[in-house]
C-alpha cells in the first residue's frame, strides 16, 4: 500500500467517523425534541439518514486495505461495498431532489404536497436499487487504487470504455444535472422569499397569520442542503472527469482532497440540520424560559 492510499484511508476514517457522529446527533435532536412530527423536519431527517448510510458504506472501504494481497477472498465483499456506495449516494441525491422540490412548491408555487411524502420515500429507496443493479449485471464493479470499491475505469492503464460510460451515465451526469437544477431552484426560492419579506409585494398567504411566516423561517435554512451538496460535489465531479478522460495516473493531492470532499457530503448534511434546529428552536426555548421565569417571579 503506497503513501497516497494510507493518507486517503486516514482521511476516510476521520471524516467518516465525524460524519456518522454528526448525523446521529442530528437524528437524536430531531427525535428528542419531537420535531419529527413536522414534515419539514422529517424531510431533513431522511436526508440525514441517507447521509449516515453513505458514510457507513464509505467506511466499509477500509476493509479493502488488503485487497491486493488476496483478491479472490475480498472480491465478493468489494462488489457488495461498491453496490452499497452506489445505492447510498443515489438515495442521498434523490432525497436532496425531493426536499428541493417540496420546498420550491411550497414557497414559490404555494402548493403544500404533504400527501407526496410516501412517494418521496418509495422512489428514494427503489430507484437507487435499480441504478446500482446495472453495474452488478454488467460485472463492472471492482477495486481501484484510486476509488476503492466502485466502478474502476482503468485496467493496467487501459481505459475501460464501458466503465467510463457507466460512471458518467449512472452517477456523474445525473448528479450534476439534479444538483445544478436544485441549487437554481433554491436560489429562486430565496429571492422570492427575500422579496416577500423585505417589500411584501404581491403575495397571498398560504396559511393564516404567523403560521406562514414561521413555516418560511423553517424552510429557508433547508435551502443549504442542495447548495452545499452541489458545492462539495463539483471538485469530485472534476476529478472524475480528469481521471476518466485525461490520465490514468492518480495525483496524490487530488486523490486525498477528493476523498475529503466526498465525506463532506454527509458531514455537511448533519451539520446543516443541527444548525437549523438551533436557529429555529432557540428563540422558542428562550421564550419558554422567559415565561417560566416570569411565572415564578409572579408567584
Amino acid at each position: 500500500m503506497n503513501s497516497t492510499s494510507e493518507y486517503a484511508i486516514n482521511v476516510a476514517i476521520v471524516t467518516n467517523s465525524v460524519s456518522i457522529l454528526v448525523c446521529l446527533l442530528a437524528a437524536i435532536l430531531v427525535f428528542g425534541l419531537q420535531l419529527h412530527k413536522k414534515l419539514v423536519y422529517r424531510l431533513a431527517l431522511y436526508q440525514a439518514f441517507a447521509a449516515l448510510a453513505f458514510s457507513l458504506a464509505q467506511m466499509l472501504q477500509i476493509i479493502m486495505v488488503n485487497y491486493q494481497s488476496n483478491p479472490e477472498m475480498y472480491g465478493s465483499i468489494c462488489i457488495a461495498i461498491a453496490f452499497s456506495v452506489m445505492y447510498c449516494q443515489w438515495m442521498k441525491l434523490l432525497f436532496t431532489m425531493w426536499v428541493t422540490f417540496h420546498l420550491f412548491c411550497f414557497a414559490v408555487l404555494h402548493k403544500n404536497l404533504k400527501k407526496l411524502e410516501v412517494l418521496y420515500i418509495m422512489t428514494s429507496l427503489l430507484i437507487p436499487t435499480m441504478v446500482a443493479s446495472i453495474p452488478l449485471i454488467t460485472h463492472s464493479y471492482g477495486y481501484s487504487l484510486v476509488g476503492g470499491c466502485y466502478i474502476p475505469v482503468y485496467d493496467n492503464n487501459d481505459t475501460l470504455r464501458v466503465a467510463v460510460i457507466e460512471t458518467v451515465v449512472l452517477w456523474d451526469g445525473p448528479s450534476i444535472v439534479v444538483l445544478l437544477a436544485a441549487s437554481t431552484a433554491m436560489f429562486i426560492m430565496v429571492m422570492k422569499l427575500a422579496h416577500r419579506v423585505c417589500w411584501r409585494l404581491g403575495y397571498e398567504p398560504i396559511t393564516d397569520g404567523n403560521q406562514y411566516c414561521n413555516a418560511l423561517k423553517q424552510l429557508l435554512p433547508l435551502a443549504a442542503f442542495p447548495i452545499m451538496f452541489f458545492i462539495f460535489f463539483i471538485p469530485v465531479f472534476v476529478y472524475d472527469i480528469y481521471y476518466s478522460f485525461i490520465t490514468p495516473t492518480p495525483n496524490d493531492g487530488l486523490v486525498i482532497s477528493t476523498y475529503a470532499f466526498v465525506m463532506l457530503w454527509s458531514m455537511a448534511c448533519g451539520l446543516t440540520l443541527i444548525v437549523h434546529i438551533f436557529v429555529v428552536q432557540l428563540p422558542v426555548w428562550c421564550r419558554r424560559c422567559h415565561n417560566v421565569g416570569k411565572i415564578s417571579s409572579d408567584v
Side-chain angles (χ1 to χ4, degrees):
M1 183 171 59
N2 57 35
S3 59
T4 302
S5 299
E6 291 180 357
Y7 281 122
I9 288 171
N10 291 332
V11 169
I13 292 173
V14 173
T15 53
N16 275 313
S17 299
V18 174
S19 298
I20 290 169
L21 291 175
V22 168
C23 291
L24 284 174
L25 177 59
I28 290 171
L29 285 174
V30 171
F31 284 110
L33 298 172
Q34 297 186 339
L35 300 175
H36 62 282
K37 296 179 180 179
K38 300 178 181 179
L39 177 60
V40 66
Y41 283 105
R42 288 201 300 276
L43 292 175
L45 191 60
Y46 300 150
Q47 275 268 43
F49 282 141
L52 175 62
F54 180 72
S55 290
L56 290 172
Q58 286 289 354
M59 187 68 90
L60 292 175
Q61 298 275 19
I62 299 169
I63 301 174
M64 295 295 106
V65 171
N66 298 318
Y67 177 88
Q68 290 178 304
S69 63
N70 195 340
E72 293 183 1
M73 183 179 75
Y74 289 104
S76 298
I77 300 174
C78 188
I79 292 174
I81 292 174
F83 179 91
S84 300
V85 170
M86 178 68 80
Y87 177 89
C88 291
Q89 65 185 17
W90 259 95
M91 181 170 60
K92 187 179 185 319
L93 178 67
L94 288 173
F95 274 126
T96 300
M97 182 186 74
W98 287 127
V99 167
T100 305
F101 173 77
H102 187 86
L103 298 183
F104 186 84
C105 288
F106 181 86
V108 178
L109 303 180
H110 296 182
K111 297 194 179 291
N112 198 337
L113 304 176
K114 288 184 178 181
K115 295 180 180 180
L116 294 182
E117 182 179 2
V118 175
L119 176 66
Y120 299 159
I121 297 173
M122 295 304 296
T123 52
S124 298
L125 294 178
L126 295 178
I127 292 178
T129 304
M130 293 185 288
V131 175
S133 296
I134 294 175
L136 195 63
I137 296 171
T138 58
H139 304 287
S140 298
Y141 286 134
Y143 182 78
S144 168
L145 288 175
V146 176
C149 295
Y150 195 59
I151 303 177
V153 295
Y154 287 103
D155 183 13
N156 295 325
N157 290 339
D158 293 328
T159 304
L160 302 175
R161 296 189 181 279
V162 174
V164 171
I165 293 172
E166 283 187 329
T167 302
V168 173
V169 172
L170 296 181
W171 176 243
D172 289 335
S175 299
I176 199 69
V177 171
V178 169
L179 292 176
L180 181 60
S183 299
T184 302
M186 282 302 182
F187 178 78
I188 294 173
M189 188 191 79
V190 170
M191 292 299 100
K192 286 280 188 179
L193 296 181
H195 181 269
R196 293 172 184 171
V197 171
C198 295
W199 290 279
R200 297 187 178 269
L201 293 175
Y203 109 83
E204 299 177 359
I206 299 175
T207 57
D208 296 328
N210 291 330
Q211 184 179 354
Y212 181 64
C213 294
N214 292 334
L216 289 181
K217 186 172 66 172
Q218 290 181 2
L219 293 176
L220 188 56
L222 296 180
F225 277 127
I227 294 174
M228 293 184 71
F229 193 176
F230 181 62
I231 291 172
F232 292 136
F233 176 78
I234 289 297
V236 181
F237 174 76
V238 170
Y239 181 70
D240 282 348
I241 299 301
Y242 171 80
Y243 182 66
S244 298
F245 295 98
I246 299 177
T247 176
T249 305
N251 178 284
D252 293 355
L254 286 176
V255 171
I256 295 171
S257 60
T258 300
Y259 266 88
F261 277 113
V262 168
M263 310 315 164
L264 284 173
W265 296 352
S266 299
M267 192 186 304
C269 180
L271 284 174
T272 300
L273 180 53
I274 292 172
V275 171
H276 169 67
I277 290 172
F278 278 98
V279 168
V280 174
Q281 295 298 318
L282 189 58
V284 177
W285 297 334
C286 292
R287 284 196 299 269
R288 288 177 182 175
C289 292
H290 176 73
N291 293 334
V292 170
K294 185 177 180 181
I295 293 173
S296 300
S297 61
D298 292 341
V299 173

